[in-house]
Amino acid sequence: MLTQMHVRGLMFDPYTNAYIVILRDESNSEMLPIWVGKPEASAISFAMEGITTPRPMTHDLMKVILDTAGAKVISVVVTDLKENTYYAKVHLSYEDSEYSIDARPSDAIALALRSKAPVFVNDNVIRKNSSEDMDRWLENLKPEDFGKYDA
Amino acid sequence: MEGALVKLTVQGVMPDAIPNSESQVVILQDESKTNTLPIWVGVAEGTAIRLALESVVPPRPLSHDLIRNLTEQLGLTISKVVVTDVKNNTYYASIFLRSKQSDKQSELTVDSRPSDAIALALRTSCPIYVTQEVLDHLAPENIDPWLKILGSKEFGGTV
């Protein structure tokens, strides 16, 4: 089963020095934090805030290549969580065929936001994610940590 | 594409000479090593280029690996990348793609930063060119300090 999720925020995690993308489902009952690197975080934040740069950034290029070829991003799916690494797939349609391509969730989300494509998460990942670690981490979260990106 | 194209190879990625600079410099040279083209890139793009130069295969596909995988799966071939222009110290590049069906005339062209184009070229083993026009516009005062460094130092661990 897949649950559609939306990018609700982007935060900095001072403990790991990484950025966290917050995905939530429509009813706000499920939440999935995904740790991403700095360049991918800025790629996601630019798309969230509708910032356009004078020159195409890497994920803009990704989208322009697909657009130019006539390929369309149907959806992206966070498919799995193995040893603290999230896995995702980008689903494309091109010339009457469908393709799915392995990606990091950060790249997949950065591309989905630019393509207005929905983001889904495998329920299996949501369950795996509700671990003790996560609960402890969430307890320490303050609303202001969500900063200006919180929607 | 008008005008002559000069084929370049990536010699290495170096830190910027300015201390605390967020930039890195990709050094490209033609076969005869008479023309050197330094291109300033961001840290992320510099890393993407360095990893490809060192043939490092990361456990998960990085952004440019994903672009290569996307194009490969769709049957698109990246035939070449060209550094086409320089305006106000900003370099412009084009990525040339061919789909399985299309002949040479229907080659697709996509505007790109040179850093992305180079990162992609190294991953797809496609040639990198620069227009003679861009080489002609290289100001010697910009290049000479780099040539001096090139003469005195290795390119780090990348060659």
Side-chain angles (χ1 to χ4, degrees):
Chain A
M1 270 287 286
L2 299 178
T3 302
Q4 184 170 358
M5 289 200 150
H6 301 277
V7 183
R8 290 301 190 208
L10 186 64
M11 318 168 31
F12 181 68
D13 178 6
Y15 300 103
T16 57
N17 236 2
Y19 291 81
I20 307 166
V21 177
I22 309 292
L23 299 177
R24 277 182 195 276
D25 69 350
E26 210 81 54
S27 61
N28 274 340
S29 57
E30 304 284 3
M31 186 197 113
L32 186 72
I34 296 181
W35 275 254
V36 304
K38 191 182 173 186
E40 292 77 22
S42 54
I44 290 169
S45 80
F46 281 1
M48 284 172 72
E49 300 201 351
I51 295 170
T52 49
T53 50
R55 300 291 296 138
M57 303 302 282
T58 306
H59 296 86
D60 301 323
L61 173 65
M62 203 181 282
K63 180 178 186 288
V64 172
I65 288 178
L66 294 173
D67 285 349
T68 307
K72 192 176 180 302
V73 181
I74 308 166
S75 65
V76 307
V77 182
V78 180
T79 52
D80 209 353
L81 169 61
K82 276 183 276 189
E83 289 163 7
N84 290 321
T85 304
Y86 288 96
Y87 291 74
K89 287 232 186 299
V90 176
H91 294 283
L92 295 167
S93 72
Y94 176 61
E95 293 182 340
D96 304 325
S97 299
E98 286 194 12
Y99 298 83
S100 75
I101 290 129
D102 176 40
R104 294 178 299 169
S106 55
D107 285 327
I109 291 167
L111 184 59
L113 290 173
R114 283 167 175 75
S115 313
K116 312 258 183 288
V119 178
F120 295 97
V121 180
N122 192 323
D123 289 348
N124 189 35
V125 174
I126 301 173
R127 271 197 303 278
K128 271 194 199 170
N129 163 65
S130 13
S131 64
E132 278 180 40
D133 276 1
M134 195 51 58
D135 290 344
R136 208 176 310 128
W137 178 78
L138 284 173
E139 269 170 30
N140 293 327
L141 268 190
K142 294 183 284 292
E144 55 266 33
D145 287 339
F146 284 86
K148 59 176 177 170
Y149 295 114
D150 192 22
Chain B
M1 181 66 47
E2 280 175 44
L5 296 181
V6 178
K7 193 175 174 186
L8 299 176
T9 51
V10 182
Q11 300 299 315
V13 183
M14 306 169 63
D16 197 351
I18 303 159
N20 302 321
S21 164
E22 288 270 308
S23 300
Q24 301 189 349
V25 188
V26 180
I27 308 289
L28 300 132
Q29 278 186 329
D30 66 354
E31 245 169 296
S32 62
K33 313 252 184 230
T34 47
N35 288 299
T36 300
L37 180 67
I39 293 184
W40 275 254
V41 304
V43 173
E45 292 76 18
T47 305
I49 291 169
R50 191 180 291 118
L51 289 176
L53 278 178
E54 296 175 0
S55 306
V56 175
V57 181
R60 299 290 298 137
L62 302 178
S63 303
H64 296 91
D65 301 319
L66 176 58
I67 299 180
R68 178 204 51 211
N69 295 347
L70 288 168
T71 52
E72 264 178 17
Q73 288 243 357
L74 301 182
L76 301 166
T77 312
I78 297 172
S79 51
K80 63 173 179 274
V81 307
V82 182
V83 179
T84 52
D85 208 354
V86 54
K87 275 181 265 183
N88 304 323
N89 288 321
T90 303
Y91 285 97
Y92 291 74
S94 291
I95 297 171
F96 291 78
L97 295 147
R98 261 200 309 267
S99 69
K100 253 189 250 160
Q101 285 80 5
S102 66
D103 50 23
K104 248 200 160 155
Q105 277 73 42
S106 59
E107 206 166 40
L108 307 169
T109 313
V110 178
D111 172 42
S112 160
R113 294 178 298 168
S115 55
D116 284 329
I118 294 166
L120 209 47
L122 292 173
R123 282 166 174 77
T124 53
S125 305
C126 85
I128 301 166
Y129 296 98
V130 62
T131 59
Q132 185 61 50
E133 211 184 352
V134 167
L135 288 180
D136 293 344
H137 278 87
L138 283 179
E141 62 268 26
N142 290 337
I143 304 301
D144 287 348
W146 281 103
L147 291 178
K148 221 175 277 170
I149 295 170
L150 292 185
S152 62
K153 257 204 242 171
E154 293 290 315
F155 287 104
T158 55
V159 274

